[in-house]
Amino acid sequence: MKPVIGMVVSNKMQKSVVVAVDHLFHHKLYNRYVKRTSKFMAHDENNECNIGDRVRLDPSRPLSKRKHWVVAEILKKARIYVPPSAKSSESSTNA
């Protein structure tokens, strides 16, 4: 198998993430390109991945019943919205 690139859709497990991989193929009957999504469970040793990260997966030996991939690298980190802390907003409203 060759490495695949996908987007992290879940990181709620310990040392594991779920990655959605899109691929296009040409439908011969309808003469259109069709997008399909496959979801793979991958091993994330240091829990570095967040939802929305773009990652590259490498195949590995079976690590569990559904885990046969490891996160090789994080290609692009997701921009995570951090709301301003309530304490700083209270002090600015009182001033």
Side-chain angles (χ1 to χ4, degrees), residues 3 5 9 15 22 25-26 36 41 44 47-50 52-53 56-57 65 74 81:
I5 295 174
V9 293
K15 297 188 177 185
D22 295 332
F25 68 95
H26 187 260
R36 291 286 158 92
M41 282 185 63
D44 179 22
N47 289 323
E48 296 172 341
C49 295
N50 287 316
D53 289 352
R56 181 171 59 87
L57 302 180
K65 182 179 179 181
I74 299 173
Y81 174 72

Side-chain angles (χ1 to χ4, degrees), residues 8-19 40-51 55 57 63-71:
V8 175
V9 293
S10 174
N11 65 347
K12 294 183 178 182
M13 298 164 281
Q14 297 174 7
K15 297 188 177 185
S16 299
V17 291
V18 178
V19 178
F40 299 112
M41 282 185 63
H43 185 68
D44 179 22
E45 181 64 36
N46 300 322
N47 289 323
E48 296 172 341
C49 295
N50 287 316
I51 295 175
V55 296
L57 302 180
L63 298 168
S64 68
K65 182 179 179 181
R66 295 184 53 214
K67 249 182 9 182
H68 303 105
W69 299 88
V70 289
V71 176

Side-chain angles (χ1 to χ4, degrees), residues 14-33:
Q14 297 174 7
K15 297 188 177 185
S16 299
V17 291
V18 178
V19 178
V21 176
D22 295 332
H23 64 278
L24 286 173
F25 68 95
H26 187 260
H27 198 291
K28 291 179 181 173
L29 179 64
Y30 298 123
N31 199 23
R32 298 280 190 271
Y33 282 95

